[in-house]
Amino acid sequence: MRKSHPVRRAVLAGAATVSGIVLLLSLKPATDPGSARAAGGQVPPAAAGQAPQGGVNGAVTGDPAQTQYGAVQVRLTMSNGKITQAEAVQAPKGGRSDQITASSVPRLNQAVVAAQSADVDSVSGATYTSAGYKKSLQSALDKAEAQGGAGQGSGQARTVTGDVAQTEYGPVQVRITVVGGKIAKAEAVQAPKGGRSDQVTSSSVPRLNQAAVATGSADIDSVSGATYTSAGYKRSLQSALDKAKAQGGAGGGSSQAAGSGGDRARTQVLTGSAAQTDYGPVQVRITVTGGKITKAEAVQAPKGGRSDQITSSSVPRLNQAAVATGSAAIDSVSGATYTSAGYKKSLQSALDQAGG
């Protein structure tokens, strides 16, 4: 038998080595998060803590936040769950407030789009406006989170913040966490404070929170000695439940079909934010079926003295106009200028929630 030539053996050994290296390289994972990051690639949204794709699209308006210098209310425009625009639809005005608003609000708007959250710095010299802005912004984000979660299955946890309920001792506002259509958690994000109110709040609110979770509704008993706080709590809780119900319906949860319309006949009940007027708050609730307003009602309206007569004569006409036009572009009722303005503002807020 002929012996292999030394040169031939060397060539064969080298070819085997190269083949082995190629084989090892072919087994290397196709993706390497560390190298992707080093190369400037993007980390998947979940890892980066960003909003998931396929989220809310359209406008979401936060609840008005009252400050010492006037109300602040923020509206967000969102695309696939990301904030593309932020604006203040209400802000303090008059005198020195005009200058502060003009300089601070644009900076806050920009900060929100950059941060994609309510974790933005207050603007120096605009402490109250900044605080109100962030409070209303958080409310808008809560609504957006709830609306986005509504389409992701009935087991998705959603956080919904009710409208602020004014009481003689201060505002009450309730936030609930809903899982599988049931209240899993309730908390008061605003409650009367100062003096005797601190004691009343600390003793009554925890009991009201527990009752809300236990009953799963706003049909809870008032706490003895905390009549006003209890009433405000239940009103804000009902508002949160209305929003949760509407958002659940929008996502394909609870719906009512009329005839064979299917999804086009889905019914939603939406409560707009309370609009403050010189004579008291106005708050509108609408029923939307198939994308059209089928019913409108004022759950809050000015009352007492002359206001009773104005409300009783103007609100039914405003309700009819809202159904007839299907929008907030309705005529004011003569002699009820303030009530009409508040009605249209709250109606627009409800329509924003419906995406209309």
Side-chain angles (χ1 to χ4, degrees):
M1 179 179 294
R2 297 177 57 190
K3 294 183 179 179
S4 298
H5 194 279
V7 175
R8 184 179 180 185
R9 287 201 303 272
V11 170
L12 291 173
T17 301
V18 170
S19 298
I21 293 173
V22 170
L23 179 61
L24 289 173
L25 289 176
S26 68
L27 296 175
K28 184 179 180 181
T31 58
D32 182 352
S35 61
R37 188 180 293 108
Q42 293 184 344
V43 181
Q50 298 174 355
Q53 295 298 311
V56 176
N57 289 284
V60 183
T61 304
D63 298 326
Q66 300 299 324
T67 77
Q68 290 189 223
Y69 298 96
V72 182
Q73 188 173 27
V74 179
R75 178 181 294 153
L76 302 176
T77 301
M78 308 190 75
S79 177
N80 291 326
K82 291 187 177 182
I83 302 170
T84 58
Q85 182 181 1
E87 56 185 323
V89 293
Q90 287 191 70
K93 57 185 177 182
R96 171 70 173 160
S97 293
D98 288 338
Q99 182 179 346
I100 294 174
T101 291
S103 64
S104 63
V105 166
R107 295 166 63 182
L108 291 165
N109 292 338
Q110 292 176 352
V112 171
V113 175
Q116 294 291 305
S117 74
D119 186 18
V120 295
D121 292 332
S122 296
V123 174
S124 178
T127 305
Y128 291 102
T129 297
S130 298
Y133 185 102
K134 290 192 281 186
K135 188 179 295 182
S136 182
L137 168 61
Q138 185 60 59
S139 168
L141 289 170
D142 288 342
K143 294 178 183 179
E145 179 184 354
Q147 292 170 10
Q152 298 174 14
S154 60
Q156 178 77 32
R158 295 180 286 141
T159 303
V160 186
T161 305
D163 296 326
V164 177
Q166 299 296 331
T167 76
E168 291 192 30
Y169 296 97
V172 181
Q173 188 174 30
V174 179
R175 177 180 296 151
I176 58 175
T177 301
V178 180
V179 179
K182 296 182 178 180
I183 302 175
K185 181 182 178 182
E187 56 185 323
V189 293
Q190 288 193 70
K193 57 185 177 180
R196 170 70 175 161
S197 292
D198 289 337
Q199 183 179 346
V200 173
T201 292
S202 63
S203 64
S204 62
V205 167
R207 295 165 63 182
L208 292 166
N209 291 338
Q210 291 175 353
V213 174
T215 63
S217 73
D219 186 17
I220 56 179
D221 292 333
S222 297
V223 174
S224 178
T227 305
Y228 291 102
T229 297
S230 298
Y233 185 102
K234 291 191 282 185
R235 191 185 309 158
S236 182
L237 173 58
Q238 185 60 59
S239 166
L241 289 168
D242 288 341
K243 294 177 182 178
K245 180 180 178 181
Q247 292 160 6
S254 58
S255 62
Q256 300 173 354
S260 59
D263 290 341
R264 293 192 301 275
R266 194 182 310 284
T267 296
Q268 304 177 66
V269 179
L270 306 164
T271 304
S273 302
Q276 300 299 324
T277 77
D278 285 358
Y279 297 96
V282 181
Q283 189 173 28
V284 179
R285 178 181 296 150
I286 58 174
T287 302
V288 179
T289 302
K292 295 182 178 180
I293 301 174
T294 56
K295 181 181 178 182
E297 56 185 322
V299 294
Q300 288 192 73
K303 57 185 177 181
R306 172 69 172 160
S307 293
D308 289 337
Q309 183 180 345
I310 294 174
T311 292
S312 63
S313 64
S314 63
V315 166
R317 295 165 63 183
L318 292 166
N319 291 338
Q320 291 175 353
V323 174
T325 63
S327 74
I330 56 179
D331 293 332
S332 297
V333 174
S334 177
T337 305
Y338 291 102
T339 298
S340 299
Y343 186 101
K344 291 190 281 185
K345 188 180 295 182
S346 181
L347 173 58
Q348 184 60 59
S349 169
L351 288 169
D352 286 342
Q353 294 175 41

